[in-house]
Amino acid sequence: MLDDRWTEHQLTDEVEVTTVGATVAGGRIVVGGGGEHQGFAQWYLDSGAVRASERDDLAGVASTTTVELDGRTWFAGGGTGSVILLSDPVEEVDPEEGEPESMELFLSDHGSYAGVGAVAAGRLGDRSLLVSGSWDGEVWLWDLREEAPVMTFEELDSVVEGVAVVSVDGRPCVLAAGGTTLRLGDLGTGRWEDPLPVPGGDISCMDVAWLKGRQVAVVGAEDGTVHTWDLENRRPLAEPFTAHTGDSRQRRIPAIRIIELHGRPAFVTSGGDSLRVWPLDG
């Protein structure tokens, strides 16, 4: 919390929460997310109230984000099962009301039954988009107003661990990260460009941001290495380096986030039992 005090909110079952997003609803901070064995839930930081989804087809959550649709903010979570759940961060919690308003995007309606390993929000003109990456290598682009996919890219040969909607060469693209490559997909043609190689361990996470007028990607890997890419010029920003060491569990980087620190770009990596902050130069 901002006043330097920790507040604990306990779920009904003692399970790990590995992915979260946050927003403000009615002046209250609401956190939404879940984990491998924890379905999607919302936590209200001021009251400690918890509201968990009772959906059986989203029993685990691998990725969470927030997305804007018609002036409203929604949580989007994907994981086990072939469904992406969009949940309304309601302003008030009343156990008698049941679950918050939600909508579902079913991959199974379009021939896919794999779990969703990554979700990210984006916009194309006035269209609110969601891009999803599946455990079988599929990447889908969804129009949230239509609640339907508008594009499916050719299946990749690895689990998709990170996705984003980016602007490259003045055009919107989808970026997918998985295995040992980054792939840019053209929203005009639906085709992938040649892969951008990320040598070392398999990619475990990714984040993107603007840096000096161009989009960059920072990816973390299973072997603890970090790679930074200039997407505009299709080249690395710097040499890869090892951010976390130790055994396989301690080395793995499950999450990475680009931030601004003292007015300069930086990024945070998690690994083992530590968080580390690094400058983002390029």
Side-chain angles (χ1 to χ4, degrees), residues 96-164:
E96 296 182 358
E97 291 181 1
E99 295 187 39
E101 183 180 350
S102 64
M103 70 174 83
E104 297 83 26
L105 306 176
F106 292 102
L107 278 69
S108 55
D109 287 349
H110 309 279
S112 176
Y113 296 88
V116 179
V119 291
R123 295 195 68 83
L124 185 59
D126 63 349
R127 301 172 74 181
S128 186
L129 305 175
L130 192 75
V131 58
S132 65
S134 299
W135 295 337
D136 63 357
E138 289 189 340
V139 176
W140 298 61
L141 187 70
W142 302 82
D143 184 314
L144 294 183
R145 190 172 289 113
E146 300 295 330
E147 299 185 34
V150 294
M151 185 172 293
T152 304
F153 288 83
E154 181 182 354
E155 185 175 318
L156 301 176
D157 59 1
S158 64
V159 173
V160 180
E161 297 286 359
V163 288

Short mmCIF file of all heavy atoms in Angstrom, two decimals, residues 96-164:
data_model
loop_
_atom_site.label_atom_id
_atom_site.label_comp_id
_atom_site.label_asym_id
_atom_site.label_seq_id
_atom_site.Cartn_x
_atom_site.Cartn_y
_atom_site.Cartn_z
N GLU A 96 -24.92 -11.71 -1.95
CA GLU A 96 -26.21 -12.19 -2.43
C GLU A 96 -26.43 -11.87 -3.90
O GLU A 96 -27.34 -12.40 -4.52
CB GLU A 96 -27.33 -11.57 -1.59
CG GLU A 96 -27.30 -11.99 -0.12
CD GLU A 96 -28.45 -11.39 0.67
OE1 GLU A 96 -29.23 -10.62 0.05
OE2 GLU A 96 -28.58 -11.69 1.87
N GLU A 97 -25.60 -11.00 -4.44
CA GLU A 97 -25.76 -10.63 -5.85
C GLU A 97 -25.20 -11.68 -6.80
O GLU A 97 -25.48 -11.65 -7.99
CB GLU A 97 -25.07 -9.29 -6.12
CG GLU A 97 -25.75 -8.10 -5.47
CD GLU A 97 -25.03 -6.81 -5.81
OE1 GLU A 97 -24.04 -6.87 -6.55
OE2 GLU A 97 -25.46 -5.74 -5.34
N GLY A 98 -24.34 -12.57 -6.32
CA GLY A 98 -23.70 -13.53 -7.20
C GLY A 98 -22.47 -12.94 -7.86
O GLY A 98 -21.86 -12.01 -7.35
N GLU A 99 -22.11 -13.48 -9.01
CA GLU A 99 -20.89 -13.06 -9.69
C GLU A 99 -21.07 -11.70 -10.37
O GLU A 99 -22.18 -11.29 -10.70
CB GLU A 99 -20.51 -14.10 -10.75
CG GLU A 99 -20.15 -15.46 -10.17
CD GLU A 99 -19.63 -16.38 -11.25
OE1 GLU A 99 -18.90 -15.91 -12.13
OE2 GLU A 99 -19.98 -17.57 -11.21
N PRO A 100 -19.93 -11.00 -10.62
CA PRO A 100 -19.99 -9.77 -11.41
C PRO A 100 -20.43 -10.07 -12.83
O PRO A 100 -20.39 -11.21 -13.30
CB PRO A 100 -18.54 -9.27 -11.39
CG PRO A 100 -17.87 -10.02 -10.30
CD PRO A 100 -18.58 -11.31 -10.16
N GLU A 101 -20.87 -9.03 -13.53
CA GLU A 101 -21.22 -9.20 -14.94
C GLU A 101 -20.00 -9.68 -15.69
O GLU A 101 -18.88 -9.26 -15.43
CB GLU A 101 -21.71 -7.87 -15.51
CG GLU A 101 -22.15 -7.97 -16.96
CD GLU A 101 -22.63 -6.63 -17.51
OE1 GLU A 101 -22.80 -5.70 -16.72
OE2 GLU A 101 -22.82 -6.55 -18.73
N SER A 102 -20.20 -10.60 -16.64
CA SER A 102 -19.08 -11.15 -17.37
C SER A 102 -19.49 -11.47 -18.79
O SER A 102 -20.67 -11.53 -19.12
CB SER A 102 -18.54 -12.41 -16.68
OG SER A 102 -19.52 -13.43 -16.69
N MET A 103 -18.50 -11.64 -19.64
CA MET A 103 -18.72 -12.17 -20.98
C MET A 103 -17.63 -13.19 -21.25
O MET A 103 -16.59 -13.19 -20.60
CB MET A 103 -18.71 -11.05 -22.03
CG MET A 103 -17.35 -10.42 -22.27
SD MET A 103 -17.34 -9.24 -23.65
CE MET A 103 -17.94 -7.77 -22.83
N GLU A 104 -17.88 -14.11 -22.18
CA GLU A 104 -16.94 -15.17 -22.46
C GLU A 104 -16.63 -15.20 -23.95
O GLU A 104 -17.51 -14.99 -24.79
CB GLU A 104 -17.49 -16.53 -22.04
CG GLU A 104 -17.75 -16.67 -20.55
CD GLU A 104 -19.10 -16.11 -20.15
OE1 GLU A 104 -20.01 -16.07 -21.00
OE2 GLU A 104 -19.24 -15.68 -19.00
N LEU A 105 -15.37 -15.47 -24.27
CA LEU A 105 -14.94 -15.70 -25.64
C LEU A 105 -14.51 -17.15 -25.72
O LEU A 105 -13.55 -17.56 -25.08
CB LEU A 105 -13.77 -14.77 -25.99
CG LEU A 105 -14.00 -13.28 -25.76
CD1 LEU A 105 -12.72 -12.50 -26.06
CD2 LEU A 105 -15.15 -12.75 -26.60
N PHE A 106 -15.24 -17.94 -26.49
CA PHE A 106 -15.00 -19.39 -26.52
C PHE A 106 -14.17 -19.76 -27.75
O PHE A 106 -14.64 -19.67 -28.88
CB PHE A 106 -16.33 -20.15 -26.56
CG PHE A 106 -17.12 -20.04 -25.28
CD1 PHE A 106 -18.20 -19.18 -25.21
CD2 PHE A 106 -16.77 -20.79 -24.18
CE1 PHE A 106 -18.94 -19.07 -24.04
CE2 PHE A 106 -17.51 -20.70 -23.01
CZ PHE A 106 -18.59 -19.83 -22.94
N LEU A 107 -12.93 -20.22 -27.52
CA LEU A 107 -12.12 -20.72 -28.62
C LEU A 107 -12.74 -21.98 -29.21
O LEU A 107 -12.62 -22.24 -30.40
CB LEU A 107 -10.70 -21.02 -28.15
CG LEU A 107 -9.71 -19.86 -28.04
CD1 LEU A 107 -10.09 -18.91 -26.91
CD2 LEU A 107 -8.30 -20.36 -27.86
N SER A 108 -13.41 -22.76 -28.36
CA SER A 108 -13.98 -24.02 -28.82
C SER A 108 -15.08 -23.81 -29.86
O SER A 108 -15.36 -24.70 -30.66
CB SER A 108 -14.52 -24.83 -27.64
OG SER A 108 -15.46 -24.06 -26.90
N ASP A 109 -15.70 -22.63 -29.86
CA ASP A 109 -16.70 -22.34 -30.88
C ASP A 109 -16.08 -22.22 -32.27
O ASP A 109 -16.79 -22.25 -33.28
CB ASP A 109 -17.43 -21.03 -30.56
CG ASP A 109 -18.40 -21.17 -29.40
OD1 ASP A 109 -18.66 -22.32 -28.99
OD2 ASP A 109 -18.87 -20.13 -28.90
N HIS A 110 -14.75 -22.07 -32.31
CA HIS A 110 -14.07 -21.86 -33.58
C HIS A 110 -13.02 -22.94 -33.84
O HIS A 110 -12.08 -22.73 -34.61
CB HIS A 110 -13.43 -20.47 -33.59
CG HIS A 110 -14.39 -19.38 -33.21
ND1 HIS A 110 -15.29 -18.84 -34.11
CD2 HIS A 110 -14.63 -18.76 -32.03
CE1 HIS A 110 -16.03 -17.92 -33.49
NE2 HIS A 110 -15.64 -17.85 -32.24
N GLY A 111 -13.16 -24.07 -33.15
CA GLY A 111 -12.33 -25.22 -33.47
C GLY A 111 -11.08 -25.39 -32.65
O GLY A 111 -10.24 -26.24 -32.99
N SER A 112 -10.89 -24.62 -31.59
CA SER A 112 -9.70 -24.75 -30.76
C SER A 112 -10.11 -25.12 -29.34
O SER A 112 -11.06 -24.55 -28.80
CB SER A 112 -8.89 -23.45 -30.73
OG SER A 112 -7.80 -23.56 -29.86
N TYR A 113 -9.38 -26.05 -28.75
CA TYR A 113 -9.71 -26.52 -27.40
C TYR A 113 -8.52 -26.36 -26.44
O TYR A 113 -8.55 -26.87 -25.34
CB TYR A 113 -10.15 -27.98 -27.44
CG TYR A 113 -11.42 -28.17 -28.23
CD1 TYR A 113 -11.37 -28.39 -29.60
CD2 TYR A 113 -12.67 -28.08 -27.63
CE1 TYR A 113 -12.53 -28.54 -30.34
CE2 TYR A 113 -13.83 -28.24 -28.36
CZ TYR A 113 -13.76 -28.47 -29.72
OH TYR A 113 -14.90 -28.61 -30.46
N ALA A 114 -7.48 -25.63 -26.87
CA ALA A 114 -6.29 -25.47 -26.04
C ALA A 114 -6.50 -24.39 -24.99
O ALA A 114 -7.35 -23.51 -25.14
CB ALA A 114 -5.09 -25.11 -26.91
N GLY A 115 -5.72 -24.47 -23.92
CA GLY A 115 -5.75 -23.42 -22.92
C GLY A 115 -5.09 -22.16 -23.43
O GLY A 115 -4.34 -22.16 -24.42
N VAL A 116 -5.35 -21.05 -22.75
CA VAL A 116 -4.84 -19.74 -23.16
C VAL A 116 -3.69 -19.35 -22.24
O VAL A 116 -3.87 -19.19 -21.04
CB VAL A 116 -5.96 -18.67 -23.09
CG1 VAL A 116 -5.41 -17.31 -23.48
CG2 VAL A 116 -7.12 -19.06 -24.01
N GLY A 117 -2.49 -19.20 -22.81
CA GLY A 117 -1.32 -18.88 -22.01
C GLY A 117 -1.02 -17.41 -21.90
O GLY A 117 -0.24 -17.00 -21.05
N ALA A 118 -1.63 -16.57 -22.75
CA ALA A 118 -1.33 -15.13 -22.73
C ALA A 118 -2.49 -14.36 -23.32
O ALA A 118 -3.11 -14.79 -24.31
CB ALA A 118 -0.05 -14.85 -23.53
N VAL A 119 -2.81 -13.21 -22.73
CA VAL A 119 -3.80 -12.28 -23.28
C VAL A 119 -3.25 -10.86 -23.16
O VAL A 119 -2.49 -10.55 -22.23
CB VAL A 119 -5.16 -12.37 -22.56
CG1 VAL A 119 -5.85 -13.68 -22.86
CG2 VAL A 119 -5.01 -12.16 -21.06
N ALA A 120 -3.63 -10.00 -24.10
CA ALA A 120 -3.21 -8.59 -24.06
C ALA A 120 -4.25 -7.76 -24.79
O ALA A 120 -4.93 -8.24 -25.71
CB ALA A 120 -1.84 -8.40 -24.69
N ALA A 121 -4.39 -6.51 -24.38
CA ALA A 121 -5.38 -5.61 -24.96
C ALA A 121 -4.73 -4.70 -25.99
O ALA A 121 -3.53 -4.43 -25.96
CB ALA A 121 -6.03 -4.77 -23.87
N GLY A 122 -5.54 -4.19 -26.92
CA GLY A 122 -5.06 -3.25 -27.92
C GLY A 122 -6.22 -2.53 -28.57
O GLY A 122 -7.39 -2.85 -28.31
N ARG A 123 -5.92 -1.57 -29.42
CA ARG A 123 -6.95 -0.85 -30.16
C ARG A 123 -6.55 -0.73 -31.61
O ARG A 123 -5.36 -0.66 -31.96
CB ARG A 123 -7.18 0.55 -29.57
CG ARG A 123 -7.74 0.56 -28.17
CD ARG A 123 -8.27 1.93 -27.80
NE ARG A 123 -9.46 2.29 -28.57
CZ ARG A 123 -10.69 1.89 -28.26
NH1 ARG A 123 -10.90 1.12 -27.21
NH2 ARG A 123 -11.72 2.27 -29.00
N LEU A 124 -7.55 -0.70 -32.49
CA LEU A 124 -7.36 -0.47 -33.90
C LEU A 124 -8.45 0.50 -34.33
O LEU A 124 -9.60 0.12 -34.50
CB LEU A 124 -7.45 -1.77 -34.70
CG LEU A 124 -7.16 -1.68 -36.20
CD1 LEU A 124 -5.75 -1.14 -36.43
CD2 LEU A 124 -7.33 -3.03 -36.87
N GLY A 125 -8.09 1.80 -34.44
CA GLY A 125 -9.10 2.83 -34.66
C GLY A 125 -9.99 2.90 -33.44
O GLY A 125 -9.51 3.07 -32.32
N ASP A 126 -11.31 2.76 -33.64
CA ASP A 126 -12.23 2.78 -32.50
C ASP A 126 -12.60 1.38 -32.03
O ASP A 126 -13.51 1.21 -31.22
CB ASP A 126 -13.50 3.56 -32.86
CG ASP A 126 -14.29 2.90 -33.99
OD1 ASP A 126 -13.75 1.97 -34.64
OD2 ASP A 126 -15.43 3.33 -34.24
N ARG A 127 -11.88 0.38 -32.52
CA ARG A 127 -12.18 -1.00 -32.16
C ARG A 127 -11.33 -1.42 -30.96
O ARG A 127 -10.11 -1.21 -30.95
CB ARG A 127 -11.92 -1.95 -33.33
CG ARG A 127 -12.73 -1.63 -34.55
CD ARG A 127 -12.31 -2.48 -35.73
NE ARG A 127 -12.76 -3.85 -35.62
CZ ARG A 127 -12.49 -4.79 -36.53
NH1 ARG A 127 -11.76 -4.49 -37.60
NH2 ARG A 127 -12.94 -6.01 -36.38
N SER A 128 -11.98 -2.00 -29.97
CA SER A 128 -11.29 -2.52 -28.80
C SER A 128 -10.97 -3.99 -29.06
O SER A 128 -11.86 -4.79 -29.32
CB SER A 128 -12.17 -2.37 -27.56
OG SER A 128 -11.48 -2.74 -26.40
N LEU A 129 -9.68 -4.32 -29.00
CA LEU A 129 -9.22 -5.65 -29.39
C LEU A 129 -8.61 -6.39 -28.21
O LEU A 129 -8.11 -5.79 -27.25
CB LEU A 129 -8.16 -5.55 -30.50
CG LEU A 129 -8.55 -4.78 -31.76
CD1 LEU A 129 -7.35 -4.68 -32.69
CD2 LEU A 129 -9.73 -5.44 -32.47
N LEU A 130 -8.63 -7.70 -28.31
CA LEU A 130 -7.93 -8.56 -27.37
C LEU A 130 -7.19 -9.60 -28.20
O LEU A 130 -7.76 -10.19 -29.12
CB LEU A 130 -8.89 -9.25 -26.41
CG LEU A 130 -8.26 -9.94 -25.21
CD1 LEU A 130 -7.80 -8.91 -24.18
CD2 LEU A 130 -9.24 -10.91 -24.56
N VAL A 131 -5.91 -9.79 -27.91
CA VAL A 131 -5.14 -10.83 -28.59
C VAL A 131 -4.82 -11.92 -27.59
O VAL A 131 -4.51 -11.65 -26.43
CB VAL A 131 -3.84 -10.25 -29.23
CG1 VAL A 131 -2.96 -9.58 -28.20
CG2 VAL A 131 -3.07 -11.33 -29.96
N SER A 132 -4.95 -13.17 -28.01
CA SER A 132 -4.72 -14.31 -27.12
C SER A 132 -3.74 -15.28 -27.78
O SER A 132 -3.75 -15.46 -29.00
CB SER A 132 -6.03 -15.03 -26.79
OG SER A 132 -6.60 -15.61 -27.96
N GLY A 133 -2.91 -15.87 -26.95
CA GLY A 133 -1.99 -16.91 -27.41
C GLY A 133 -2.25 -18.19 -26.66
O GLY A 133 -2.40 -18.19 -25.42
N SER A 134 -2.32 -19.30 -27.37
CA SER A 134 -2.73 -20.57 -26.77
C SER A 134 -1.55 -21.49 -26.55
O SER A 134 -0.47 -21.31 -27.09
CB SER A 134 -3.77 -21.26 -27.67
OG SER A 134 -4.92 -20.47 -27.81
N TRP A 135 -1.79 -22.52 -25.75
CA TRP A 135 -0.76 -23.50 -25.44
C TRP A 135 -0.41 -24.36 -26.65
O TRP A 135 0.62 -25.04 -26.64
CB TRP A 135 -1.22 -24.38 -24.28
CG TRP A 135 -1.36 -23.59 -23.01
CD1 TRP A 135 -0.73 -22.40 -22.72
CD2 TRP A 135 -2.16 -23.91 -21.88
NE1 TRP A 135 -1.09 -21.95 -21.47
CE2 TRP A 135 -1.98 -22.86 -20.93
CE3 TRP A 135 -3.01 -24.95 -21.55
CZ2 TRP A 135 -2.61 -22.84 -19.70
CZ3 TRP A 135 -3.64 -24.93 -20.33
CH2 TRP A 135 -3.44 -23.90 -19.42
N ASP A 136 -1.25 -24.38 -27.67
CA ASP A 136 -0.93 -25.15 -28.87
C ASP A 136 -0.35 -24.28 -29.98
O ASP A 136 -0.22 -24.72 -31.12
CB ASP A 136 -2.17 -25.88 -29.39
CG ASP A 136 -3.28 -24.93 -29.82
OD1 ASP A 136 -3.11 -23.70 -29.67
OD2 ASP A 136 -4.32 -25.40 -30.32
N GLY A 137 0.02 -23.02 -29.66
CA GLY A 137 0.68 -22.16 -30.63
C GLY A 137 -0.25 -21.28 -31.45
O GLY A 137 0.21 -20.55 -32.33
N GLU A 138 -1.55 -21.31 -31.18
CA GLU A 138 -2.48 -20.47 -31.93
C GLU A 138 -2.51 -19.05 -31.35
O GLU A 138 -2.41 -18.86 -30.14
CB GLU A 138 -3.89 -21.05 -31.90
CG GLU A 138 -4.04 -22.32 -32.71
CD GLU A 138 -5.50 -22.75 -32.83
OE1 GLU A 138 -6.31 -22.31 -31.98
OE2 GLU A 138 -5.82 -23.51 -33.75
N VAL A 139 -2.66 -18.07 -32.24
CA VAL A 139 -2.80 -16.67 -31.85
C VAL A 139 -4.07 -16.14 -32.49
O VAL A 139 -4.25 -16.22 -33.71
CB VAL A 139 -1.58 -15.83 -32.29
CG1 VAL A 139 -1.79 -14.36 -31.95
CG2 VAL A 139 -0.31 -16.34 -31.60
N TRP A 140 -4.95 -15.58 -31.64
CA TRP A 140 -6.26 -15.09 -32.08
C TRP A 140 -6.36 -13.60 -31.79
O TRP A 140 -5.89 -13.12 -30.76
CB TRP A 140 -7.38 -15.80 -31.33
CG TRP A 140 -7.47 -17.28 -31.53
CD1 TRP A 140 -6.52 -18.21 -31.23
CD2 TRP A 140 -8.58 -18.00 -32.06
NE1 TRP A 140 -6.97 -19.47 -31.53
CE2 TRP A 140 -8.23 -19.37 -32.05
CE3 TRP A 140 -9.83 -17.62 -32.54
CZ2 TRP A 140 -9.10 -20.35 -32.50
CZ3 TRP A 140 -10.70 -18.61 -32.98
CH2 TRP A 140 -10.33 -19.95 -32.97
N LEU A 141 -7.01 -12.88 -32.69
CA LEU A 141 -7.33 -11.47 -32.47
C LEU A 141 -8.85 -11.35 -32.38
O LEU A 141 -9.57 -11.78 -33.29
CB LEU A 141 -6.79 -10.61 -33.62
CG LEU A 141 -6.91 -9.10 -33.44
CD1 LEU A 141 -5.93 -8.62 -32.36
CD2 LEU A 141 -6.63 -8.37 -34.74
N TRP A 142 -9.33 -10.75 -31.26
CA TRP A 142 -10.76 -10.68 -30.98
C TRP A 142 -11.24 -9.25 -31.03
O TRP A 142 -10.58 -8.34 -30.55
CB TRP A 142 -11.05 -11.22 -29.58
CG TRP A 142 -10.61 -12.63 -29.34
CD1 TRP A 142 -9.35 -13.04 -29.00
CD2 TRP A 142 -11.42 -13.79 -29.40
NE1 TRP A 142 -9.34 -14.40 -28.86
CE2 TRP A 142 -10.58 -14.89 -29.08
CE3 TRP A 142 -12.77 -14.01 -29.68
CZ2 TRP A 142 -11.06 -16.19 -29.05
CZ3 TRP A 142 -13.24 -15.31 -29.64
CH2 TRP A 142 -12.40 -16.38 -29.33
N ASP A 143 -12.43 -9.04 -31.61
CA ASP A 143 -13.15 -7.77 -31.53
C ASP A 143 -14.12 -7.90 -30.36
O ASP A 143 -15.06 -8.69 -30.41
CB ASP A 143 -13.90 -7.50 -32.83
CG ASP A 143 -14.59 -6.14 -32.84
OD1 ASP A 143 -15.23 -5.78 -31.83
OD2 ASP A 143 -14.49 -5.42 -33.85
N LEU A 144 -13.90 -7.11 -29.30
CA LEU A 144 -14.68 -7.29 -28.09
C LEU A 144 -16.12 -6.83 -28.25
O LEU A 144 -17.02 -7.37 -27.61
CB LEU A 144 -14.02 -6.56 -26.92
CG LEU A 144 -12.66 -7.13 -26.50
CD1 LEU A 144 -12.13 -6.39 -25.29
CD2 LEU A 144 -12.77 -8.62 -26.21
N ARG A 145 -16.36 -5.83 -29.08
CA ARG A 145 -17.73 -5.38 -29.27
C ARG A 145 -18.54 -6.46 -29.99
O ARG A 145 -19.72 -6.66 -29.71
CB ARG A 145 -17.76 -4.06 -30.05
CG ARG A 145 -19.14 -3.40 -30.08
CD ARG A 145 -19.09 -2.02 -30.69
NE ARG A 145 -18.41 -1.07 -29.81
CZ ARG A 145 -17.25 -0.50 -30.08
NH1 ARG A 145 -16.60 -0.80 -31.19
NH2 ARG A 145 -16.71 0.37 -29.24
N GLU A 146 -17.90 -7.16 -30.91
CA GLU A 146 -18.57 -8.24 -31.64
C GLU A 146 -18.50 -9.56 -30.88
O GLU A 146 -19.22 -10.51 -31.23
CB GLU A 146 -17.93 -8.41 -33.02
CG GLU A 146 -18.02 -7.17 -33.91
CD GLU A 146 -19.43 -6.82 -34.29
OE1 GLU A 146 -20.27 -7.77 -34.38
OE2 GLU A 146 -19.72 -5.64 -34.49
N GLU A 147 -17.62 -9.65 -29.87
CA GLU A 147 -17.40 -10.88 -29.11
C GLU A 147 -17.08 -12.04 -30.04
O GLU A 147 -17.57 -13.17 -29.90
CB GLU A 147 -18.62 -11.22 -28.24
CG GLU A 147 -18.94 -10.17 -27.20
CD GLU A 147 -20.08 -10.56 -26.27
OE1 GLU A 147 -20.20 -11.77 -25.97
OE2 GLU A 147 -20.85 -9.67 -25.87
N ALA A 148 -16.19 -11.77 -31.00
CA ALA A 148 -15.85 -12.78 -31.99
C ALA A 148 -14.43 -12.55 -32.50
O ALA A 148 -13.93 -11.42 -32.48
CB ALA A 148 -16.82 -12.72 -33.17
N PRO A 149 -13.75 -13.61 -32.96
CA PRO A 149 -12.42 -13.44 -33.53
C PRO A 149 -12.49 -12.79 -34.89
O PRO A 149 -13.41 -13.07 -35.68
CB PRO A 149 -11.89 -14.88 -33.62
CG PRO A 149 -13.11 -15.73 -33.72
CD PRO A 149 -14.17 -15.03 -32.93
N VAL A 150 -11.56 -11.90 -35.17
CA VAL A 150 -11.50 -11.25 -36.48
C VAL A 150 -10.31 -11.74 -37.28
O VAL A 150 -10.23 -11.50 -38.49
CB VAL A 150 -11.44 -9.72 -36.34
CG1 VAL A 150 -12.73 -9.19 -35.77
CG2 VAL A 150 -10.26 -9.28 -35.48
N MET A 151 -9.38 -12.45 -36.62
CA MET A 151 -8.22 -12.96 -37.33
C MET A 151 -7.58 -14.08 -36.52
O MET A 151 -7.51 -14.02 -35.30
CB MET A 151 -7.20 -11.83 -37.56
CG MET A 151 -6.00 -12.21 -38.40
SD MET A 151 -4.98 -10.75 -38.79
CE MET A 151 -6.12 -9.86 -39.87
N THR A 152 -7.13 -15.11 -37.22
CA THR A 152 -6.36 -16.19 -36.62
C THR A 152 -5.09 -16.34 -37.43
O THR A 152 -5.13 -16.47 -38.65
CB THR A 152 -7.13 -17.51 -36.62
OG1 THR A 152 -8.38 -17.34 -35.97
CG2 THR A 152 -6.34 -18.59 -35.91
N PHE A 153 -3.95 -16.33 -36.74
CA PHE A 153 -2.67 -16.46 -37.42
C PHE A 153 -2.27 -17.92 -37.54
O PHE A 153 -2.77 -18.79 -36.81
CB PHE A 153 -1.58 -15.69 -36.65
CG PHE A 153 -1.71 -14.20 -36.75
CD1 PHE A 153 -2.57 -13.51 -35.92
CD2 PHE A 153 -0.99 -13.49 -37.69
CE1 PHE A 153 -2.70 -12.13 -36.01
CE2 PHE A 153 -1.10 -12.11 -37.80
CZ PHE A 153 -1.97 -11.43 -36.95
N GLU A 154 -1.36 -18.18 -38.47
CA GLU A 154 -0.86 -19.54 -38.65
C GLU A 154 -0.27 -20.06 -37.34
O GLU A 154 0.44 -19.35 -36.63
CB GLU A 154 0.21 -19.56 -39.73
CG GLU A 154 0.78 -20.94 -40.01
CD GLU A 154 1.88 -20.89 -41.06
OE1 GLU A 154 2.11 -19.81 -41.64
OE2 GLU A 154 2.50 -21.95 -41.30
N GLU A 155 -0.59 -21.31 -37.02
CA GLU A 155 -0.17 -21.89 -35.75
C GLU A 155 1.35 -21.93 -35.63
O GLU A 155 2.05 -22.35 -36.56
CB GLU A 155 -0.74 -23.30 -35.63
CG GLU A 155 -0.48 -23.97 -34.29
CD GLU A 155 -1.18 -25.31 -34.20
OE1 GLU A 155 -2.35 -25.40 -34.64
OE2 GLU A 155 -0.55 -26.25 -33.70
N LEU A 156 1.86 -21.47 -34.49
CA LEU A 156 3.30 -21.51 -34.22
C LEU A 156 3.67 -22.86 -33.62
O LEU A 156 2.81 -23.63 -33.19
CB LEU A 156 3.68 -20.38 -33.26
CG LEU A 156 3.35 -18.96 -33.77
CD1 LEU A 156 3.67 -17.91 -32.71
CD2 LEU A 156 4.13 -18.67 -35.05
N ASP A 157 4.98 -23.13 -33.59
CA ASP A 157 5.43 -24.46 -33.15
C ASP A 157 5.84 -24.48 -31.69
O ASP A 157 6.65 -25.33 -31.28
CB ASP A 157 6.58 -24.96 -34.03
CG ASP A 157 7.79 -24.03 -34.02
OD1 ASP A 157 7.73 -23.02 -33.31
OD2 ASP A 157 8.76 -24.33 -34.73
N SER A 158 5.30 -23.57 -30.87
CA SER A 158 5.63 -23.55 -29.45
C SER A 158 4.47 -22.95 -28.67
O SER A 158 3.59 -22.30 -29.24
CB SER A 158 6.90 -22.74 -29.19
OG SER A 158 6.70 -21.38 -29.55
N VAL A 159 4.48 -23.16 -27.35
CA VAL A 159 3.51 -22.50 -26.48
C VAL A 159 3.72 -20.99 -26.58
O VAL A 159 4.86 -20.50 -26.58
CB VAL A 159 3.69 -22.97 -25.02
CG1 VAL A 159 2.81 -22.17 -24.08
CG2 VAL A 159 3.41 -24.45 -24.91
N VAL A 160 2.65 -20.23 -26.67
CA VAL A 160 2.75 -18.77 -26.73
C VAL A 160 2.71 -18.24 -25.31
O VAL A 160 1.70 -18.34 -24.61
CB VAL A 160 1.61 -18.17 -27.58
CG1 VAL A 160 1.73 -16.65 -27.61
CG2 VAL A 160 1.64 -18.73 -29.00
N GLU A 161 3.83 -17.64 -24.85
CA GLU A 161 3.96 -17.16 -23.48
C GLU A 161 3.72 -15.66 -23.34
O GLU A 161 3.59 -15.16 -22.23
CB GLU A 161 5.36 -17.49 -22.95
CG GLU A 161 5.67 -18.98 -22.86
CD GLU A 161 4.95 -19.65 -21.70
OE1 GLU A 161 4.22 -18.96 -20.96
OE2 GLU A 161 5.13 -20.88 -21.53
N GLY A 162 3.67 -14.94 -24.46
CA GLY A 162 3.43 -13.50 -24.40
C GLY A 162 2.88 -12.99 -25.72
O GLY A 162 3.26 -13.48 -26.78
N VAL A 163 1.94 -12.04 -25.65
CA VAL A 163 1.37 -11.44 -26.85
C VAL A 163 1.20 -9.94 -26.60
O VAL A 163 1.15 -9.48 -25.46
CB VAL A 163 0.00 -12.05 -27.22
CG1 VAL A 163 0.16 -13.46 -27.76
CG2 VAL A 163 -0.95 -12.02 -26.04
N ALA A 164 1.11 -9.18 -27.69
CA ALA A 164 0.89 -7.73 -27.59
C ALA A 164 0.41 -7.23 -28.95
O ALA A 164 0.66 -7.84 -29.99
CB ALA A 164 2.17 -7.01 -27.19
#
